[in-house]
Amino acid sequence: MRIVLLCATRRGYRVLERLIALQPDADLIVFSFREVAHEPPFLDDIKHLAESHGATFYEARQVGAARWREFWVSTPVDLMLTVSWRYMIPPDIFRLPKRGAFVFHDSLLPAYRGFAPTVWAILNGETQTGVSLFEIAEEVDSGALVAQQAVAIGADETIAEVMEKVTQAYLDVLTEYLPALLDGSAQRTPQDETRATYTCKRLPEDNVIDWTAPTDAIYNLIRGTTNPYPGAFTTLSGRKLIIWAAQRIAYRPYVGRIPGRVIDVRPGVGTVVLTGDGALLLTQVQWEGEPPVTADTILNSLSCTLNT
């Protein structure tokens, strides 16, 4: 049984780990690509894991490029799986595997098709996300569904906490449905196109904080883009300041309101800052290029005003 796994990120590493455990005798071929500068490293770990278990490893982003044509022509594939893969796979490639090509996606499709669905779910204040295993199709994230598993999002959970639960759901779905994928018996259910929604690719500049926004929107941006992501940020005196953590608090009502203004400094705890409709307690911040500190270390004066 020859299985091709296209994977990236720590989640891809863990799926590869589980796939090796489930199919130790498979002829496994693994593709991954070099992470970008602001990401935690993953390529070398995936490569080492693959090769240490006898799998063939290739580094590539565009598996449909001309340099890979001979590989696909000369290498019959039984099953293809993709995890955290960001690049288009041409139809003439994903149609090659005898038992199909399937994608793991972190949303309950057809909702949240596209990029960074877990981040967007937190930003939008969703209380639930999930995992979908589906068959690759030409239209983005539109293929027939094989399996889904819901994942709750706690009101104060960070992206790291939700990602861990989603990753565990990936592993659960893989373990349960791999036998059916391998023997060709996996059932497929078409998605309801009338319920489809889509998400944009997120860029670093999308994490800038607008202090005139509602408290919940700012709080969700902070917890949705904190580690392992680059973090929500603002500026103070022309310098970039990353906000890693905050807490929602009840605070005295302000009718003379300047969003972004420091209104309370709590030594050793953090700093209270006004938002568009309330206030947030900022707890951990970091000047770009310096170590993280408690917010009161930097935002230590009622004269401080954070800018968008």
Side-chain angles (χ1 to χ4, degrees):
M1 182 66 63
R2 179 172 287 144
I3 302 173
V4 169
L5 175 65
L6 285 69
C7 65
T9 74
R10 180 67 182 173
R11 179 176 292 158
Y13 178 93
R14 292 184 62 186
V15 169
L16 171 59
E17 199 172 40
R18 179 63 60 89
L19 185 58
I20 290 169
L22 293 171
Q23 287 290 310
D25 298 324
D27 179 4
L28 186 58
I29 300 172
V30 180
F31 285 85
S32 191
F33 52 83
R34 179 68 61 184
E35 58 278 345
V36 296
H38 65 266
E39 286 185 295
F42 56 79
L43 176 69
D44 292 338
D45 290 341
I46 290 174
K47 178 179 180 181
H48 179 265
L49 177 63
E51 294 182 342
S52 66
H53 287 83
T56 303
F57 177 84
Y58 297 109
E59 181 179 346
R61 296 178 187 272
Q62 303 296 338
V63 296
R67 67 179 293 247
W68 294 107
R69 291 293 168 174
E70 179 57 32
F71 168 82
W72 295 114
V73 169
S74 62
T75 310
V77 175
D78 294 295
L79 178 68
M80 178 184 290
L81 300 173
T82 78
V83 178
S84 300
W85 195 260
R86 302 167 189 168
Y87 303 96
M88 295 301 295
I89 304 169
D92 61 331
I93 303 301
F94 69 65
R95 290 176 181 147
L96 287 174
K98 297 173 186 177
R99 290 169 172 79
F102 301 88
V103 181
F104 286 87
H105 182 76
D106 41 336
S107 80
L108 294 174
L109 293 171
Y112 284 83
R113 292 176 176 176
F115 297 92
T118 306
V119 174
W120 280 113
I122 294 175
L123 266 57
N124 289 339
E126 301 281 7
T127 59
Q128 179 178 266
T129 182
V131 169
S132 297
L133 173 63
F134 68 96
E135 192 170 34
I136 301 181
E138 292 190 39
E139 192 67 29
V140 61
D141 297 336
S142 66
L145 295 166
V146 173
Q148 292 188 306
Q149 182 171 312
V151 174
I153 301 176
D156 297 307
E157 285 185 323
T158 67
I159 184 63
E161 293 168 319
V162 179
M163 283 175 62
E164 177 58 32
K165 295 197 296 186
V166 171
T167 298
Q168 186 56 55
Y170 270 52
L171 301 178
D172 293 344
V173 169
L174 175 66
T175 301
E176 182 175 353
Y177 287 90
L178 184 60
L181 296 179
L182 291 173
D183 67 20
S185 65
Q187 298 297 305
R188 297 155 171 80
T189 303
Q191 294 186 41
D192 181 354
E193 290 296 324
T194 65
R195 295 176 50 244
T197 58
Y198 297 83
T199 59
C200 288
K201 179 179 181 179
R202 291 192 62 80
L203 304 175
E205 56 265 33
D206 298 327
N207 293 351
V208 64
I209 297 171
D210 176 4
W211 294 103
T212 67
T215 302
D216 284 350
I218 298 171
Y219 179 68
N220 290 341
L221 177 63
I222 292 168
R223 71 188 180 102
T225 61
T226 191
N227 286 309
Y229 287 96
F233 67 93
T234 185
T235 57
L236 177 64
S237 301
R239 295 181 65 186
K240 180 177 179 179
L241 184 68
I242 302 169
I243 313 298
W244 289 117
Q247 296 175 16
R248 283 185 277 212
I249 58 169
Y251 207 79
R252 61 177 73 103
Y254 268 71
V255 293
R257 174 180 300 276
I258 300 176
R261 177 66 54 84
V262 169
I263 54 171
D264 189 5
V265 179
R266 301 180 179 183
V269 177
T271 302
V272 180
V273 175
L274 286 174
T275 65
D277 64 356
L280 273 176
L281 173 62
L282 308 185
T283 54
Q284 186 180 63
V285 302
Q286 176 185 359
W287 287 123
E288 187 173 35
E290 297 184 13
V293 295
T294 55
D296 60 287
T297 304
I298 293 173
L299 304 174
N300 54 14
S301 167
L302 301 188
S303 297
C304 292
T305 304
L306 298 171
N307 300 309
T308 56

